[in-house]
Amino acid sequence: MADSKKRFEKLIDGLKSSDREVKLMSISALGILKIKKHSEELHNLLSSPDKEILANTIKALGQIANPSSVKYLIEFISNTNEKLSSEAFESLKKINLSSVEDVVIKACSADQPVPLRKKLVELLSDYNDVRVSSLMNEILGQTRDPELLTGAISYFIKYPSSERHTSLKMLAGNGNWNVSLVANLALSRLKDEGAYAQIKRLAKSSNSEIRQTIVNAINSHPLIEDRDIYLVLFNDNRSNIREASLEGLSMFASDERIKLIKQLISAEKDKKIRILLVKKAAAEKSPLLFDELFKLLQSTDEEIQKASIEALGEIGEKIVDRILLDYERMPLLLKEQLLLVLGCIGSPKASYLVKEALFAKERWLRINAIEASVSIKSPELIECVNNIIKNSNTDIWVMATAVSALGRLLDKKSTDILVPLLSNKDARVRANTIEALSSLKWEGLPEACFPMLKDRNDRVRVNAAIALWKSGHSEVFAELEKMSRDRSRWVRASAVFALGQISDPEGTPILIRMLHDNEDMVYRNVLEALSWSGDLRALIPLLNESNRRRLKPEFYETILDRFAQTIKD
């Protein structure tokens, strides 16, 4: 605790500041850092009369998620201030209650208001514990409130209890359709035939809320008998229901599952669901899925293409002959994608085709063949990539890709081939050569990089700066500072990129100053760079930017979460 206090002393001291803004920022900062010990410091602020400080403190305690905070947060659930009540509930949902279930169960006693009990029942619904089960059973006999009843019954869907059969049977005839539905769902988990037949009928209901309730329920405790219901829901007209139903694929035998995945991929129009199906196809590793995945390689959507390449790669050598059979007759764009697939597979037959493509006439065939070679890493293909670089007539795009590949292949024999390219007339080649030689840890790189800090191309300059910093030369910050003030947004963006890659505390002040850059492209890069820095000096400035909302709130959430993770790592 002493070490933590010393490291975060300024933030902890800020909790006692007379400056309200400093206090609010310190609360938010400690919440973002998510360090359990800090919850003790925040508990003291729960008696504050300032509603905003209270709300921020409650939110921060939820982010930290220390079970010791539960007893304090529960007191706010029934607060008359709706914002405080809602914030406390959301915070409690983020905390693992396993060690403090008794606190929540006690707060859920029969003398408490129904709205409070509803929330506490929801909090306890994921915990398979005899004490929780006993509480839910008590509620079944105590209340007529439909929502509270529904919450308690739902517990027995996820955790079936034959002892509840009689109670559930009575509730299945309840006049409230929601109570009746969840009671029948709970009975179906006990394999009650009448209830199960009712659920099968309701799975075809025109009411999407009913169908959503059913799929969520059977997903929480799936049975082999649910396959007929899943077959209906796989083809639902609501995308959210179809997406949820995909969990049911595991209920089918391998051959049935493969057949279903083929049918569903073919029929699905929703991009998100289609990608999920492709990932499930990848897990099957079955050549029977080749045709559907092959069709998706021709998609204009890059995400779908990428997922399909990975899925075909997972199938492996079993599909290489199929690719070879038709490869020559395929359109150029399809050949390009298949080279990446062959790179993922990496068998001798795949390597043969990749080797041929390395010397094709078409630029992108050669580029993708080089990328495939990086994946396969065979000595023969590495030698071919070396020969591409040695050939002075090589297309400059292909050359730049080959240079980058040698850096990723980490073959030190390539060093002598790369060194002369530091003076190549093409900036992409020079920049990639610096990166490659840095990866290969070439001893002569620092001496070569110093004059390249004055290169006419900004990417070459920043790559030289990064390489020099890796070699222990901190004087590169002066050059990056100069670039960060350049009139060109591209040069400033390059400087930020370099500072992000370096992630040295010496670069933090430069980045913080650049938060005022007017170009969104540069501004985004600055936020990204600071998120990877883990430098505590950047946290308050990042919070200030989050409050300014220059970009979408979700972007700042991602940045702050990454910053917190960097601190932990």
Side-chain angles (χ1 to χ4, degrees):
M1 181 64 177
D3 289 343
S4 176
K5 274 191 174 181
K6 187 174 182 181
R7 187 178 181 195
F8 304 103
E9 187 174 7
K10 188 176 287 187
L11 294 176
I12 293 170
D13 286 347
L15 299 179
K16 301 170 187 175
S17 174
S18 56
D19 186 322
R20 184 171 179 273
E21 291 305 313
V22 170
K23 186 176 286 189
L24 285 167
M25 281 293 179
S26 296
I27 293 167
S28 297
L30 292 176
I32 287 161
L33 292 172
K34 299 181 178 68
I35 296 170
K36 289 278 193 286
K37 293 282 187 182
H38 291 162
S39 59
E40 297 169 19
E41 309 288 344
L42 290 166
H43 291 160
N44 298 325
L45 294 177
L46 291 173
S47 58
S48 172
D50 187 315
K51 294 294 187 285
E52 188 176 0
I53 285 175
L54 266 180
N56 281 25
T57 302
I58 291 169
K59 180 181 178 180
L61 289 171
Q63 290 171 305
I64 294 171
N66 190 338
S68 68
S69 300
V70 169
K71 60 185 177 183
Y72 302 104
L73 293 173
I74 276 183
E75 294 178 13
F76 285 93
I77 288 190
S78 56
N79 197 285
T80 52
N81 184 304
E82 192 175 332
K83 183 179 180 182
L84 295 180
S85 172
S86 175
E87 200 69 73
F89 182 56
E90 292 302 315
S91 288
L92 284 164
K93 285 200 287 189
K94 296 173 184 175
I95 300 175
N96 186 327
L97 303 175
S98 300
S99 61
V100 288
E101 281 177 17
D102 285 338
V103 176
V104 186
I105 291 169
K106 185 178 178 182
C108 195
S109 58
D111 59 336
Q112 296 290 355
V114 168
L116 172 61
R117 298 188 84 196
K118 287 178 192 173
K119 291 180 178 179
L120 296 176
V121 162
E122 185 178 337
L123 290 172
L124 291 165
S125 62
D126 289 330
Y127 296 89
N128 187 12
D129 185 281
V130 65
R131 295 165 298 174
V132 178
S133 179
S134 178
L135 170 67
M136 299 300 181
N137 186 44
E138 284 176 22
I139 291 172
L140 296 188
Q142 288 172 348
T143 186
R144 293 184 180 180
D145 182 86
E147 290 184 33
L148 183 54
L149 260 180
T150 300
I153 297 167
S154 296
Y155 182 83
F156 297 110
I157 296 173
K158 191 170 186 178
Y159 305 112
S161 170
S162 56
E163 296 172 3
R164 308 282 86 82
H165 190 275
T166 302
S167 302
L168 293 170
K169 203 74 175 173
M170 292 173 62
L171 290 164
N174 192 283
N176 181 285
W177 74 266
N178 207 8
V179 173
S180 173
L181 174 60
V182 293
N184 274 296
L185 280 163
L187 286 167
S188 73
R189 302 305 90 185
L190 294 171
K191 303 192 177 182
D192 181 295
E193 290 184 10
Y196 204 89
Q198 175 75 340
I199 295 304
K200 283 181 73 174
R201 285 194 296 273
L202 289 172
K204 299 176 183 178
S205 166
S206 60
N207 187 324
S208 62
E209 191 178 344
I210 289 175
R211 303 196 309 276
Q212 186 73 62
T213 300
I214 290 172
V215 73
N216 291 345
I218 63 176
N219 279 347
S220 71
H221 190 95
L223 302 172
I224 198 71
E225 292 85 355
D226 293 331
R227 288 179 297 181
D228 287 343
I229 297 175
Y230 278 119
L231 286 173
V232 172
L233 299 174
F234 286 152
N235 299 294
D236 199 276
N237 60 11
R238 293 293 184 101
S239 60
N240 53 331
I241 294 174
R242 293 199 306 280
E243 182 181 348
S245 71
L246 294 184
E247 290 190 34
L249 284 168
S250 60
M251 293 291 102
F252 295 82
S254 177
D255 56 339
E256 294 176 292
R257 193 165 58 244
I258 289 166
K259 186 177 178 182
L260 280 168
I261 290 171
K262 285 180 71 174
Q263 293 170 353
L264 295 172
I265 287 177
S266 178
E268 187 56 61
K269 302 300 180 189
D270 184 284
K271 174 184 168 180
K272 181 182 177 185
I273 300 174
R274 188 171 256 195
I275 289 174
L276 284 174
L277 283 164
V278 171
K279 288 180 178 178
K280 289 188 178 294
E284 297 297 331
K285 302 180 189 292
S286 170
L288 295 174
L289 291 163
F290 177 85
D291 288 335
E292 294 307 325
L293 294 170
F294 180 76
K295 289 174 191 173
L296 293 181
L297 283 182
Q298 301 169 70
S299 168
T300 55
D301 188 289
E302 288 186 11
E303 286 184 71
I304 290 177
Q305 271 188 359
K306 184 181 177 185
S308 303
I309 289 168
E310 290 173 358
L312 285 165
E314 285 294 325
I315 297 174
E317 196 169 355
K318 292 171 280 190
I319 61 171
V320 173
D321 285 339
R322 180 81 180 272
I323 294 172
L324 291 173
L325 186 65
D326 298 318
Y327 181 81
E328 290 304 325
R329 296 191 296 273
M330 290 178 190
L332 182 60
L333 289 174
L334 202 47
K335 286 181 178 180
E336 291 167 7
Q337 302 303 321
L338 283 170
L339 284 170
L340 299 177
V341 172
L342 292 169
C344 294
I345 295 170
S347 68
K349 285 183 180 179
S351 297
Y352 174 79
L353 194 55
V354 170
K355 181 182 175 182
E356 278 197 341
L358 284 171
F359 300 99
K361 293 179 181 178
E362 297 83 0
R363 171 187 285 173
W364 281 100
L365 275 183
R366 301 186 74 185
I367 285 174
N368 281 14
I370 291 168
E371 293 300 331
S373 300
V374 173
S375 300
I376 295 172
K377 293 184 174 66
S378 77
E380 185 180 14
L381 290 177
I382 293 173
E383 184 58 33
C384 288
V385 175
N386 282 334
N387 289 334
I388 286 172
I389 293 173
K390 290 175 185 177
N391 186 346
S392 58
N393 295 320
T394 296
D395 175 278
I396 207 67
W397 284 80
V398 175
M399 176 74 78
T401 305
V403 168
S404 178
L406 289 184
R408 285 178 283 150
L409 286 165
L410 299 177
D411 183 3
K412 294 212 171 193
K413 295 175 189 173
S414 305
T415 303
D416 291 342
I417 299 170
L418 290 169
V419 171
L421 297 177
L422 287 170
S423 57
N424 191 277
K425 63 181 179 181
D426 186 83
R428 286 163 299 187
V429 173
R430 296 197 301 279
N432 287 2
T433 302
I434 294 169
E435 284 183 351
L437 289 171
S438 180
S439 298
L440 295 170
K441 296 181 170 54
W442 178 50
E443 291 180 0
L445 189 59
E447 185 180 348
C449 278
F450 274 111
M452 299 183 85
L453 287 174
K454 305 298 181 186
D455 194 278
R456 60 187 178 275
N457 180 273
D458 57 281
R459 183 165 171 255
V460 173
R461 296 205 299 276
V462 299
N463 281 3
I466 293 168
L468 284 166
W469 178 82
K470 287 180 178 178
S471 303
H473 296 274
S474 60
E475 58 266 42
V476 297
F477 288 104
E479 179 62 28
L480 292 173
E481 165 76 24
K482 182 181 174 183
M483 289 179 69
S484 75
R485 298 180 184 276
D486 197 277
R487 286 184 297 178
S488 166
R489 61 177 178 171
W490 301 106
V491 174
R492 299 199 304 278
S494 292
V496 172
F497 171 80
L499 291 166
Q501 290 290 301
I502 289 170
S503 288
D504 187 297
E506 194 169 338
T508 301
I510 303 172
L511 289 168
I512 290 173
R513 174 184 58 75
M514 292 185 73
L515 284 168
H516 302 295
D517 199 287
N518 292 325
E519 291 286 348
D520 277 355
M521 175 185 71
V522 178
Y523 177 69
R524 282 174 177 271
N525 287 359
V526 173
L527 293 171
E528 294 273 2
L530 287 172
S531 75
W532 291 112
S533 71
D535 190 330
L536 279 174
R537 291 174 296 173
L539 183 50
I540 297 299
L542 284 174
L543 278 168
N544 280 325
E545 293 305 311
S546 177
N547 291 336
R548 282 179 60 205
R549 291 288 193 257
R550 178 171 162 182
L551 303 174
K552 289 183 179 179
E554 308 86 71
F555 184 80
Y556 295 102
E557 287 172 18
T558 302
I559 291 297
L560 290 167
D561 284 345
R562 188 186 298 140
F563 182 92
Q565 190 58 50
T566 305
I567 287 277
K568 284 186 178 181
D569 292 343

